[in-house]
Amino acid sequence: MQNTISALAQEAQDLAAGRVIPILPVSTETAAEGEVARALQICNACRYCEGFCAVFPAMTRRLEFGKADVHYLANLCHNCGACLHACQYAPPHEFAINIPKAMAEVRGQTYADYAWPPALGRLYQRNGLTLSLALAAGLSLFLVLAVALQGGLGRLWGADLGANFYNLFPHNLLVGIFAPVFLFVVLALAMGVRRFWKDVKPATGGVDVGTPAAAEAAHDVLRLKYLDGGHGEGCHNEDDAYTLSRRRFHHLTFYGFMLCFAATALATVYHYVFGWAAPYEFPSLPKLLGAVGGTSLMLGTAGLWRLNRRRHPLHGDARQKPMDLGFIALLFLVAASGMALWLGRGTPALALLLCLHLGAVIALFATLPYGKFAHGVFRTASLLRHNTEKRQPSPIGLGAD
């Protein structure tokens, strides 16, 4: 009893003197998780950034930050940097509060921790720019050699393919290559987010997602609501100036990718339902969707590349930059090679362009479950839990969100 009273008295003295009471992490916490818990305890006392994004209202519903809470909040964070630039306790203050960096380190950890199969989680540390481009180049070279062995060097350049790449790679062969890869990607991401959901659901109210919560989460995802800085003027990139550039380039990238995916899905329907074999001529709907999507994807990824290279070093985890740039580069390569393939259909370069495009697409899909693409899946899951949790009474009874 005497020891407990002495400990409480010491904590009171520390608070009165403005010193931070250290958080003792549970045995399962990493240093990164412990740093998020420490920073959020200070943020919970300050609450200056409460209106910036979903993280801070969610934070106020907690007095302690266990492993599941930290994982949930880290993936809820959109890394806009607004809280760092507004924080009076940011470096060089002795408290050294840096929410964007702390959250980014935990996010990278969660991608690896929830990877499926678990043994492949280490790929997150190795999935860099060099590896991504080398994988795309290696796969493209493999396809080039396969074509050359099939019909000689003449089949690689100037062969009369009738502007139809199915004369080079039959439709059923392409389906046999891509279908297993696509199904594995869906399975791996689904298994990873299932484990994440199982862990964070009890920490976010434990109730199932209702229709209003799902609708609001979808609205937040599709608008990238939390990249507006909380006031609509945008967040930060390399300095204190507000900018909407990250939000706009993310939109171009996301919707460009979805339009390209829609073009492929529609072409599949054309082929199997209506018996209309590719290639489709412009302005057919698959071609129109692909052209607009490819252009949007190229513009978006080029913009994100530039912003990423100029980003303030305190805004994130520098160790994840190669993974980020690798994903951006593969997306750009897929879009650019796809547009080049379309424009070069009637030229002698058709075979080489097709091998380059197919190699880039296979490389992109093979790395999707173990690269930056995962952040969109986990962030969507966190937004679903946030919009469900905030509809429940506050568990600490200290007012509304």
Side-chain angles (χ1 to χ4, degrees):
M1 176 66 73
Q2 184 64 38
N3 290 338
T4 302
I5 294 175
S6 298
L8 290 174
Q10 182 60 51
E11 288 186 4
Q13 292 175 11
D14 290 341
L15 285 173
R19 292 189 291 270
V20 180
I21 300 173
I23 296 174
L24 298 177
V26 297
S27 58
T28 55
E29 282 185 345
T30 65
E33 292 166 353
E35 173 57 20
V36 169
R38 180 193 75 88
L40 289 179
Q41 186 185 52
I42 298 172
C43 292
N44 223 348
C46 174
R47 300 196 179 187
Y48 180 79
C49 301
E50 197 170 44
F52 282 10
C53 71
V55 169
F56 296 98
M59 173 196 72
T60 62
R61 300 174 67 90
R62 293 159 170 80
L63 295 178
E64 296 180 338
F65 301 93
K67 188 180 184 74
D69 299 290
V70 169
H71 284 186
Y72 158 62
L73 293 170
N75 283 282
L76 194 58
C77 170
H78 283 58
N79 196 226
C80 81
C83 58
L84 174 67
H85 289 259
C87 183
Q88 59 186 322
Y89 302 121
H93 192 280
E94 63 178 330
F95 289 176
I97 300 301
N98 186 339
I99 294 296
K101 183 175 184 295
M103 295 294 199
E105 290 178 352
V106 171
R107 274 197 305 277
Q109 174 192 321
T110 60
Y111 302 156
D113 288 349
Y114 291 107
W116 187 90
L120 297 182
R122 289 188 296 273
L123 289 177
Y124 279 102
Q125 283 87 42
R126 304 171 185 172
N127 190 358
L129 175 61
T130 302
L131 176 61
S132 299
L133 295 181
L135 180 60
L139 289 169
S140 299
L141 180 59
F142 172 79
L143 294 173
V144 166
L145 292 175
V147 172
L149 290 174
Q150 182 186 33
L153 295 178
R155 194 162 177 80
L156 282 173
W157 188 270
D160 184 14
L161 301 175
N164 187 346
F165 52 75
Y166 285 152
N167 291 330
L168 192 66
F169 291 105
H171 177 269
N172 289 339
L173 175 62
L174 293 179
V175 172
I177 294 174
F178 284 99
V181 176
F182 176 75
L183 292 175
F184 175 77
V185 168
V186 173
L187 176 62
L189 289 172
M191 293 296 289
V193 80
R194 177 177 175 270
R195 290 178 56 215
F196 174 76
W197 189 273
K198 183 179 179 180
D199 285 349
V200 303
K201 183 178 179 180
T204 52
V207 299
D208 294 333
V209 177
T211 300
E216 186 174 0
H219 175 267
D220 294 344
V221 169
L222 295 176
R223 287 185 61 248
L224 286 174
K225 173 182 176 180
Y226 294 111
L227 284 183
D228 67 356
H231 40 59
E233 297 181 45
C235 48
H236 303 273
N237 195 65
E238 67 271 19
D239 52 34
D240 287 332
Y242 296 125
T243 175
L244 287 168
S245 297
R246 289 186 67 231
R247 188 181 190 184
R248 290 165 178 164
F249 286 130
H250 270 92
H251 271 143
L252 285 170
T253 301
F254 174 75
Y255 286 108
F257 181 85
M258 294 306 296
L259 285 172
C260 291
F261 185 80
T264 303
L266 185 59
T268 302
V269 173
Y270 277 14
H271 183 92
Y272 287 106
V273 177
F274 299 107
W276 301 341
Y280 307 108
E281 300 299 329
F282 195 82
S284 64
L285 192 52
K287 189 64 70 179
L288 183 61
L289 291 173
V292 175
T295 302
S296 175
L297 192 52
M298 289 173 63
L299 292 173
T301 50
L304 289 177
W305 177 281
R306 177 174 178 270
L307 292 176
N308 188 285
R309 298 291 293 178
R310 298 174 59 185
R311 197 86 199 271
H312 196 290
L314 292 180
H315 279 182
D317 182 7
R319 293 170 297 181
Q320 295 180 39
K321 190 175 283 285
M323 178 178 69
D324 297 348
L325 293 175
F327 179 57
I328 294 171
L330 279 179
L331 282 175
F332 180 86
L333 184 58
V334 167
S337 61
M339 296 295 288
L341 177 61
W342 174 36
L343 297 175
R345 268 178 49 199
T347 70
L350 172 61
L352 287 175
L353 290 173
L354 178 59
C355 290
L356 173 61
H357 181 61
L358 293 180
V361 172
I362 297 173
L364 174 65
F365 273 84
T367 58
L368 279 185
Y370 312 107
K372 190 58 184 286
F373 183 83
H375 88 286
V377 179
F378 285 98
R379 185 160 291 154
T380 300
S382 295
L383 282 168
L384 281 167
R385 292 311 313 166
H386 169 65
N387 285 289
T388 300
E389 178 187 39
K390 74 178 187 178
R391 286 171 163 78
Q392 307 304 311
S394 175
I396 57 177
L398 296 180
D401 291 331

